[in-house]
Amino acid sequence: MSASVKSLLSTLCTPGPHRVMRGNLGIAGQPGVVFTPEKGLNLPAVVFGHGWLAGVGNYRKLLEHLASWGFVAAGPDTERGPIPSHLNLATDLVTTLDICTGVRLGNGAVSVHPDKLALAGHGMGAGAAVIAAAQRPVAAVAALYPAPTAPSAESLAPDIESPALILAGDDIDSVGSNAIPLAAAWGGPMILRAVDKATHNGIVEGRRALAALGAAKYETKTDRTTRGLLVGYLTYQLLGDKTYKPFADPEAALPHTRVVDPEAVDEEEPEKPSKLQLLQAVQMLRK
């Protein structure tokens, strides 16, 4: 691992040079928020899907971080209940993409390039991002600690040609993660990275109320590393900046991560599901 890659990831984990502005997507008819740099034309955009029993507000730091590095970062704030529709969330992600590309943001000083778009999400939101990518081609997809959805993201993945970054935690083999089958099924270029000492709910801010159901607490190091990996990957894929090529290279060693070959993972006896995972399974069956 080169010192330059270590230094680059360390830099990307800290806020970027742009002043961040916040907006309300509700003005355009879609509940949600958008964060942008103070100004800039033809910027790249990332539309983000939240996880189960969360909202876009639980990812404020991540979205602000993307905006500080020059991205327009937006997310719908829908399907927040215990029995959400993953299809509806995917539709809202596509609608949010259309809003970002169709109107000038801020005071007219910010616009998005129609060919520099990415879909991203966490947990069920990662699955919804995949469902959306099957409907609307984008330049890149980022599935952060993905969880099973209905329809299953892995059933749609073979037909998606967009490059993908799939992140997982140390609990990559748990029933609450479908990172391995999603990576194995992906049709385009794909990287599956496991983040050291991370759990699949570690990037969710302020979600401590679900601890009794087995949900992990917010993990500062996990969130910090995830932000850096995401910015590096999207900067290369959306802007073509070769400085960040290691973030899209499955052969590159990046700090605090390991590359996982989904075809080489040994099958082990599945762990006993937690209360939270059982509740997630129930909400999927009730669709």
Side-chain angles (χ1 to χ4, degrees):
M1 187 185 304
S2 68
S4 61
V5 172
K6 290 182 180 180
S7 177
L8 192 57
L9 179 58
S10 178
T11 298
L12 293 177
C13 288
T14 60
H18 296 278
R19 181 186 177 194
V20 176
M21 310 296 286
R22 183 184 187 277
N24 183 0
L25 290 176
I27 297 174
Q30 172 64 59
V33 298
V34 57
F35 295 89
T36 73
E38 187 173 17
K39 59 183 178 179
L41 301 179
N42 293 318
L43 297 178
V46 185
V47 172
F48 186 87
H50 63 76
W52 181 59
L53 284 181
V56 71
N58 294 101
Y59 304 89
R60 178 184 57 82
K61 292 180 182 178
L62 187 150
L63 298 180
E64 286 182 340
H65 190 80
L66 285 166
S68 77
W69 281 99
F71 295 86
V72 170
D77 200 26
T78 56
E79 304 302 326
R80 298 178 57 177
I83 309 177
S85 168
H86 305 138
L87 281 172
N88 287 349
L89 182 55
T91 297
D92 291 336
L93 291 172
V94 173
T95 298
T96 303
L97 274 178
D98 291 338
I99 293 171
C100 290
T101 56
V103 301
R104 285 288 185 100
L105 303 171
N107 294 321
V110 176
S111 69
V112 169
H113 194 290
D115 296 328
K116 299 176 182 177
L117 304 177
L119 285 160
H122 166 250
M124 75 165 193
V130 174
I131 296 170
Q135 303 170 7
R136 168 77 175 274
V138 290
V141 177
L144 311 181
Y145 314 94
T149 55
S152 68
E154 53 266 37
S155 69
L156 301 171
D159 295 325
I160 300 177
E161 298 180 355
S162 304
L165 171 67
I166 303 172
L167 296 183
D170 286 341
D171 50 0
I172 189 172
D173 294 316
S174 72
V175 295
S177 171
N178 68 333
I180 292 173
L182 178 61
W186 199 262
M190 174 280 307
I191 301 174
L192 171 58
R193 289 189 182 274
V195 178
D196 295 346
K197 299 180 180 180
T199 59
H200 64 278
N201 277 322
I203 68 170
V204 186
E205 304 165 37
R207 205 176 178 184
R208 301 179 188 276
L210 290 180
L213 292 173
K217 294 182 179 180
Y218 173 70
E219 299 163 2
T220 302
K221 290 184 66 175
T222 298
D223 194 17
R224 179 181 170 87
T225 300
T226 299
R227 289 183 226 161
L229 294 171
L230 184 60
V231 170
Y233 182 81
L234 293 179
T235 299
Y236 176 74
Q237 295 293 3
L238 300 188
L239 299 178
D241 189 332
K242 293 184 179 180
T243 303
Y244 302 92
K245 186 176 180 180
F247 292 86
D249 183 358
E251 301 299 322
L254 299 181
H256 315 301
T257 75
R258 60 185 174 89
V259 175
V260 178
D261 180 356
E263 304 293 344
V265 176
D266 294 330
E267 293 188 5
E268 299 179 357
E269 183 178 346
E271 66 176 26
K272 183 179 179 180
S274 67
K275 294 178 182 178
L276 176 61
Q277 291 162 347
L278 289 172
L279 190 52
Q280 287 175 320
V282 169
Q283 62 95 0
M284 289 179 63
L285 291 172
R286 292 181 62 181
K287 292 187 180 300

